[in-house]
Amino acid sequence: MYPPLIVLLGPTAVGKTALSAALCNRYGGHVVNADSRQIYRQMDIGTAKPTPDEITHAPHHLIDIRNPDESLSLSEYQTLAYQTINDLHAKQIQPLLIGGSALYIRSVVEGLRIPEVPPNPELRAELEALGANGGWQALFAKLEDLDPATAQQIDRRNMRRVIRALEIVMMTGQSKVELEGKEQPPYRILQIGLDRPRENLYQRIDQRVDLMIERGLIDETKALLATGYDIRLPAMTSLGYREIIAYINGTLTLDDAIAQIKTETHRFVRHQYTWFRRMANIDWFDMTTNPTEGILTHIEEFLDNPQRTM
């Protein structure tokens, strides 16, 4: 009989961190992080990383595992996640896969087969130059020409994803989607999605951005710059940090930077929902109805029924 894996997903600021503490307390569980930005050290405030006190009540794994100038491929994340989940099961600890990065979650629950094509720095630099000169449209046009199957499935405005798809097809001669597939992981999986009406979620986002500024996001960003991290790094161009860097460099006022963070986070949430809608077998709960007890009951029914699978 496969061991259980509980997944808690939802958009930014929906309330995952607060609920994770209740789940860990009820089931003695540990959180396996599925947020692609919380992997970075020194980036705590801008990524809404759980506080030390929150980690005390809800132990976390796979946060603070890379420096901002280090990469973590999806394949590496998947391997680490499987190792962590299996280690927790071996210790009779309930793993809780929690986050808002749909691709991280899909890599685990769907068992995505990820092409093992190592990065090619020279080719990547060439493609980045093409993108800089012609914009994402030029990169995407090249992908449509070389790998139309992948072009139909990818987010055309995500230059890093488009570059990676181009890198794979140009190095192997094979389509990214042809190399991919799925292999069901050896877990019984329950996926719980947290939701809120869009305006309520936007209000929570705006409040959280204001709180990030109060808690020291500007000083955190200055410390990263003082360490010498290049502002072009993927970590440093992530949401929140890029706007504060623009403020520090004098290209945005603080008010404009804050407003831009809020607007771009609203946009990011819409993008998250797009990906969540493509995922199957998610049981959704509206967080405005105080559903904690209902969620706990739902989980207990799942845990008490070993025959239940996705």
Side-chain angles (χ1 to χ4, degrees), residues 133-152:
N133 291 328
W136 61 263
Q137 295 94 334
L139 283 173
F140 189 72
K142 188 174 184 70
L143 182 64
E144 285 184 310
D145 181 50
L146 296 177
D147 184 0
T150 299
Q152 287 183 346

Side-chain angles (χ1 to χ4, degrees), residues 73-126:
S73 71
L74 183 62
S75 175
E76 290 172 322
Y77 171 79
Q78 183 189 55
T79 297
L80 290 172
Y82 282 150
Q83 288 174 349
T84 304
I85 292 166
N86 294 339
D87 287 347
L88 290 173
H89 278 143
K91 297 173 183 176
Q92 303 298 308
I93 296 172
Q94 177 61 57
L96 307 165
L97 184 69
I98 300 179
S101 297
L103 197 54
Y104 273 21
I105 294 168
R106 289 185 59 223
S107 76
V108 175
V109 302
E110 298 180 22
L112 299 181
R113 288 201 297 269
I114 303 161
E116 294 287 349
V117 180
N120 183 324
E122 292 183 1
L123 175 58
R124 189 166 290 187
E126 177 186 324

Side-chain angles (χ1 to χ4, degrees), residues 24-57:
C24 288
N25 181 62
R26 177 70 67 94
Y27 305 110
H30 285 198
V31 174
V32 180
N33 170 53
D35 185 300
S36 62
R37 299 200 308 157
Q38 292 184 358
I39 66 169
Y40 295 116
R41 303 181 185 100
Q42 300 175 254
M43 303 181 75
D44 301 336
I45 298 170
T47 64
K49 201 174 292 177
T51 65
D53 182 63
E54 288 170 331
I55 291 174
T56 298
H57 294 92

Side-chain angles (χ1 to χ4, degrees), residues 271-289:
H271 179 73
Q272 286 179 297
Y273 273 118
T274 297
W275 282 104
F276 291 145
R277 282 195 292 268
R278 298 177 183 177
M279 297 170 63
N281 303 309
I282 300 174
D283 299 328
W284 288 97
F285 290 82
D286 183 350
M287 292 297 285
T288 62
T289 65

Side-chain angles (χ1 to χ4, degrees), residues 131-267:
N133 291 328
W136 61 263
Q137 295 94 334
L139 283 173
F140 189 72
K142 188 174 184 70
L143 182 64
E144 285 184 310
D145 181 50
L146 296 177
D147 184 0
T150 299
Q152 287 183 346
Q153 298 187 15
I154 205 166
D155 178 2
R156 63 177 62 201
R157 289 181 173 82
N158 190 323
M159 287 183 59
R160 284 196 288 273
R161 298 258 174 89
V162 172
I163 286 173
R164 179 58 178 161
L166 282 167
E167 191 175 42
I168 289 169
V169 70
M170 293 174 74
M171 290 179 63
T172 68
Q174 294 178 277
S175 166
K176 179 174 179 289
V177 295
E178 290 174 358
L179 290 172
E180 293 173 336
K182 297 179 182 180
E183 183 176 350
Q184 186 63 39
Y187 314 123
R188 288 195 307 119
I189 299 173
L190 175 67
Q191 294 188 94
I192 294 173
L194 305 186
D195 194 13
R196 288 180 183 272
R198 200 62 59 90
E199 288 307 313
N200 176 263
L201 186 58
Y202 289 167
Q203 289 172 3
R204 287 173 58 88
I205 287 169
D206 294 350
Q207 291 168 358
R208 190 166 79 170
V209 171
D210 290 336
L211 188 58
M212 285 177 176
I213 298 299
E214 292 177 18
R215 288 179 173 174
L217 178 57
I218 296 170
D219 287 340
E220 181 173 88
T221 306
K222 287 179 178 178
L224 290 165
L225 295 173
T227 304
Y229 291 122
D230 192 316
I231 62 174
R232 294 168 295 181
L233 289 168
M236 298 294 285
T237 59
S238 63
L239 184 56
Y241 293 98
R242 62 175 178 248
E243 290 83 4
I244 296 301
I245 289 172
Y247 159 67
I248 292 170
N249 290 339
T251 56
L252 283 177
T253 66
L254 180 57
D255 286 345
D256 286 345
I258 292 170
Q260 195 164 306
I261 295 172
K262 293 175 180 178
T263 298
E264 290 303 314
T265 307
H266 297 175
R267 190 193 311 275

